[in-house]
Amino acid sequence: MATNPRLSKTLGALLGVHTGDSLGATLEFLPWAHIKSLHPTGLREIVGGGPFSWPAGSATDDTDLTRAVLLAYSDRKKNQNQKKEKADHHEKGDEFDVARAAADYSVDWFTGKWPGREMGSEPVDIGGATSVGLLNYQSTGNPKTSGAGQGSAGNGSLMRCIPTALFTSTPEKRIEESMAISTFTHNDVRCTVSCAAYNEIVAALVDGKTVQEAVDMGKQIAEALDCPAVATAIERGEGMSIQRIASKGPGKELPDRTSGYVLQSLTVAVAALLDPRGFEDVLVDVVRIGGDTDTNGAISGGLLGARDGADAIPERWLRDLQFRSEFVNVAMQILEGPTVVQG
């Protein structure tokens, strides 16, 4: 799909989110023991179904909201091009607010202005904090104050945050934008810092750092932002075996039904990243653990795609993904030109 390693990792990260989401959607909410009885070696095909009767390859809220953030970065690139044209004519433009744009696209999704939806229709699946945050944003118009509040620490912003890692080139801007894009729904510090740390891991992988170097950079961000809970979640992932848990059961390491808690999803994703096996085997085992399978699949899939590149994702998985072509085309449009967007 892409011969350039950096481009391959960028596309792999985006498509990894979509793949993990679509694979995991079939088994969402099921516990490990039930999944084992249905699929003794794991679900290895994207078949749709699940509690919301998804078509095979359909985006759930995980991929849909990743798309919302991706489109915000696409708009920023267009805005930068327009500003350059204005500069050539001695005109000045305003700074583009990527968090507000992501919130606006998320409201489009929320209200049905979305591919495959009817205007006014409600999302098939939506997390509680996401719903509260988007309702607040519709009311106030302020993405800095619309979040669901401290104590609401679900994984609904971590699942959508990866475009920031891919299209913002400096650590300072990545941290700022990661936290701002989380804040309009998930402003609990565990969520905002998880997004910043996760995106620094992704950016390091895309830059060609080793897996351990990337994980260490994520921990450094959590520590620099004074959030020991996120640093501890990453460390837990370093000591966890996805393969063992998927084969033997969660035991005491994870509850039988993995929850939507942001730190748990971050731990699982780091453990998946550190698993030396290939993309397919690791992602199948992440989903085998059970519980919040689509979101854990999406978050882990993003890291695995950034690690292994797009060509590591099985073509039989890619071919049915709802937004495959759009994700590739939009990413290519953002990256075209001599430099990556710097914020």
Side-chain angles (χ1 to χ4, degrees), residues 2 11 14 25 29 85 94 132-133 169 172 179 195 213 216 236 257 282 305 329:
L11 298 180
L14 287 171
F29 305 136
E85 292 176 2
D94 295 328
V132 169
S169 65
E172 295 79 12
M179 297 179 76
C195 290
E213 286 172 336
D216 289 343
R236 285 190 65 214
R257 293 170 61 89
V282 180
N329 291 335

Side-chain angles (χ1 to χ4, degrees), residues 6 73 76 164-180 192-193 195-204 207 209 217-218 220-222 224-225 340-343:
R6 184 180 185 88
Y73 280 96
R76 184 171 76 174
T164 301
L166 305 176
F167 306 118
T168 302
S169 65
T170 67
E172 295 79 12
K173 290 298 290 184
R174 280 196 296 268
I175 292 169
E176 176 188 333
E177 291 170 11
S178 296
M179 297 179 76
T192 59
V193 175
C195 290
Y198 176 92
N199 276 338
E200 208 56 34
I201 294 172
V202 173
D207 283 342
K209 302 292 186 184
M217 292 178 77
Q220 290 169 16
I221 293 299
L225 294 173
V340 177
V341 171
Q342 296 194 26

Side-chain angles (χ1 to χ4, degrees), residues 132-147:
V132 169
L134 293 180
L135 285 169
N136 288 342
Y137 178 65
Q138 284 183 291
S139 175
T140 67
N142 188 346
K144 295 180 180 179
T145 61
S146 58

Side-chain angles (χ1 to χ4, degrees), residues 36 58-59 75 103-104 122 127 136 162 178 234-235 265 290 299:
K36 182 176 177 62
S58 175
D75 283 355
D104 288 341
E122 296 181 355
N136 288 342
I162 207 166
S178 296
I234 294 172
E235 290 171 354
S265 291
I299 295 167

Side-chain angles (χ1 to χ4, degrees), residues 85-108:
E85 292 176 2
K86 287 182 178 181
D88 292 340
H89 292 85
H90 309 289
E91 298 178 27
K92 293 183 180 180
D94 295 328
E95 186 68 24
F96 186 84
D97 188 339
V98 72
R100 180 178 295 278
D104 288 341
Y105 276 116
S106 297
V107 168
D108 284 348

Side-chain angles (χ1 to χ4, degrees), residues 137-320:
Y137 178 65
Q138 284 183 291
S139 175
T140 67
N142 188 346
K144 295 180 180 179
T145 61
S146 58
Q150 298 300 312
S152 187
N155 55 17
S157 61
L158 187 61
M159 73 189 189
R160 71 177 187 238
C161 72
I162 207 166
T164 301
L166 305 176
F167 306 118
T168 302
S169 65
T170 67
E172 295 79 12
K173 290 298 290 184
R174 280 196 296 268
I175 292 169
E176 176 188 333
E177 291 170 11
S178 296
M179 297 179 76
I181 290 171
S182 176
T183 291
F184 69 77
T185 55
H186 294 70
N187 58 337
D188 185 288
V189 67
R190 290 165 292 180
C191 300
T192 59
V193 175
S194 286
C195 290
Y198 176 92
N199 276 338
E200 208 56 34
I201 294 172
V202 173
L205 293 169
V206 172
D207 283 342
K209 302 292 186 184
T210 69
V211 168
Q212 191 58 58
E213 286 172 336
V215 171
D216 289 343
M217 292 178 77
K219 282 192 293 185
Q220 290 169 16
I221 293 299
E223 291 163 357
L225 294 173
D226 195 24
C227 190
V230 172
T232 299
I234 294 172
E235 290 171 354
R236 285 190 65 214
E238 291 180 285
M240 183 179 293
S241 168
I242 290 293
Q243 186 173 21
R244 187 199 64 74
I245 293 173
S247 176
K248 304 296 183 181
K252 295 181 179 180
E253 290 182 271
L254 291 169
D256 190 41
R257 293 170 61 89
T258 53
S259 69
Y261 180 38
V262 65
L263 297 185
Q264 188 182 78
S265 291
L266 181 62
T267 293
V268 169
V270 169
L273 175 63
L274 289 162
D275 191 312
R277 294 175 297 154
F279 182 99
E280 178 178 345
D281 288 337
V282 180
L283 195 59
V284 165
D285 277 356
V286 168
V287 171
R288 285 176 71 189
I289 294 171
D292 197 10
T293 52
D294 59 333
T295 305
N296 284 333
I299 295 167
S300 297
L303 290 186
L304 292 169
R307 182 191 77 178
D308 297 344
D311 291 337
I313 305 176
E315 176 60 30
R316 72 181 195 281
W317 286 359
L318 290 172
R319 64 187 174 213
D320 291 329

